[in-house]
Amino acid sequence: GDPSTSCNAQIESRVDCNPGNGNQQDCEALGCCFSPVNEKLGIPYCYFPSAPVNIYQDLYFFGHGHDYFGAMADFVLLSGPVHTFPRYIFGPQYSRWHAFNEVDEVSLIEDKYEELGIPLDVLVLDMDWHFTYDRGDNTCTPSVNGWTGFSWDTNLFPDPGRFLTWAHEKGLHITNNMHPAAGVQCVENEYVKFANAMGIDPSTNHSIPYEIQNKTYAQNFMDIVLQPLTNQGEQMNGIDYWWIDYQQGESNVAYGVNPTFWVNYVFTTADSWWPNNLRPLIMARWGGFGNHRMSTLGFSGDVTTSWASLA
């Protein structure tokens, strides 16, 4: 392709190629475009081209026969290592799509798991942990998409900090479900602050579209909307990791950039979410080759509660 035409994407549509703190040479070595634009505008210095800048493609053949471990070792050597997961993630988890409340969850653990001596490491809260409807006097434009939410439903969990403190004292880790595709809607606790940060008048109650490929959106989304969920109660207890239930199709966010791969990348590299050398972790769908570098615990979809599902 011709770099002069492949690198002329509109500023608002550029997607960060993120070579770290690299220079123009490092950026272009990745097949990306370099432009020293003010980063405060949310426009990356190094961004994906709108079409291939280079017509060449590297292909690798792994001829290992039955030496599967050798093949995997060479693949990782070429494409990057697998991150070490936190130990607790290898233990039992409980997950069910149901509008549980705080009393339900406490009863489940104390009257069932503890009473029967069943080990449990992770308690999974499906989508009903958050508000799924308009509340108060706010009517969002467009109307609320109940699948997406980032604020605890206090009808079910009156004091999220108390619940999370209880769970962690029981030795449990918590993951909350997220369907982020509807963006940040006016029912969210942090809507006003987020809207102001994005240059949108919060009095309009307009939902702010999900644009994780936009550097300004991604940074504000992590810092303003999600970060408070890690800071609940006096003991600074919050959820431990996200279950990102992203299933909004495979339309590339930039040339050759799978949206699932990009979502997994952003969530596992966000400094504000993984401070103090915490090991990054999300549960999410597979984003394709290279996804193994993203500290992603994979899941395939929903199953029914039956012995046949376990067979």
Side-chain angles (χ1 to χ4, degrees):
D2 181 1
S4 64
T5 59
S6 299
C7 293
N8 64 356
Q10 295 295 315
I11 289 180
E12 62 273 10
S13 65
R14 293 177 183 175
V15 177
D16 188 9
C17 191
N18 198 31
N21 295 318
N23 52 29
Q24 182 171 357
Q25 182 178 355
D26 295 330
C27 173
E28 293 177 349
L30 297 174
C32 294
C33 303
F34 182 82
S35 178
V37 180
N38 186 344
E39 198 168 6
K40 291 183 179 180
L41 297 177
I43 309 304
Y45 293 99
C46 185
Y47 57 95
F48 287 102
S50 56
V53 174
N54 196 325
I55 62 174
Y56 301 104
Q57 184 177 26
D58 291 332
L59 300 176
Y60 297 87
F61 173 73
F62 292 85
H64 292 71
H66 293 292
D67 182 12
Y68 307 116
F69 288 108
M72 292 303 300
D74 282 349
F75 173 75
V76 170
L77 183 65
L78 176 69
S79 60
V82 179
H83 286 270
T84 302
F85 286 136
R87 184 177 181 180
Y88 67 81
I89 205 63
F90 297 100
Q93 303 188 23
Y94 179 83
S95 175
R96 182 189 174 196
W97 183 16
H98 182 76
F100 290 110
N101 58 35
E102 181 178 2
V103 174
D104 295 331
E105 300 286 7
V106 172
S107 176
L108 171 71
I109 301 305
E110 295 185 345
D111 297 340
K112 297 297 181 181
Y113 275 86
E114 290 184 347
E115 182 179 320
L116 298 173
I118 301 174
L120 187 65
D121 288 290
V122 178
L123 189 58
V124 181
L125 302 185
D126 213 317
M127 60 171 287
D128 290 287
W129 70 271
H130 62 72
F131 283 104
T132 58
Y133 46 84
D134 282 326
R135 56 191 174 111
D137 296 327
N138 291 340
T139 301
C140 298
T141 306
S143 58
V144 169
N145 181 327
W147 288 94
T148 297
F150 312 102
S151 303
W152 287 91
D153 186 339
T154 49
N155 295 305
L156 301 178
F157 295 91
D159 187 341
R162 177 182 63 197
F163 168 71
L164 292 165
T165 298
W166 166 85
H168 286 129
E169 288 177 347
K170 290 290 184 181
L172 295 170
H173 294 82
I174 303 296
T175 179
N176 286 16
N177 176 273
M178 176 201 297
H179 295 86
V184 179
Q185 304 173 98
C186 76
V187 295
E188 304 300 342
N189 294 340
E190 305 297 336
Y191 171 76
V192 172
K193 187 175 180 181
F194 183 74
N196 285 328
M198 294 299 296
I200 294 174
D201 181 0
S203 67
T204 63
N205 284 342
H206 279 213
S207 297
I208 304 169
Y210 183 67
E211 296 180 345
I212 200 67
Q213 71 274 21
N214 179 294
K215 193 171 185 178
T216 300
Y217 181 98
Q219 191 67 55
N220 288 328
F221 182 60
M222 293 289 174
D223 293 348
I224 297 174
V225 178
L226 300 187
Q227 180 62 22
L229 296 172
T230 68
N231 184 17
Q232 302 279 355
E234 294 181 357
Q235 297 188 29
M236 305 292 283
N237 271 342
I239 68 172
D240 296 286
Y241 65 96
W242 286 106
W243 165 18
I244 304 176
D245 207 349
Y246 186 81
Q247 53 190 40
Q248 277 64 48
E250 293 300 308
S251 298
N252 289 347
V253 296
Y255 176 79
V257 184
N258 177 296
T260 306
F261 186 96
W262 186 253
V263 167
N264 295 349
Y265 167 76
V266 171
F267 272 84
T268 55
T269 57
D271 292 337
S272 61
W273 189 253
W274 304 110
N276 304 321
N277 296 318
L278 289 176
R279 294 177 181 174
L281 173 68
I282 56 173
M283 181 161 67
R285 287 174 170 80
W286 187 58
F289 288 115
N291 193 92
H292 68 281
R293 301 192 304 270
M294 307 305 169
S295 302
T296 303
L297 175 68
F299 80 103
S300 59
D302 302 328
V303 297
T304 58
T305 306
S306 66
W307 289 112
S309 296
L310 296 176

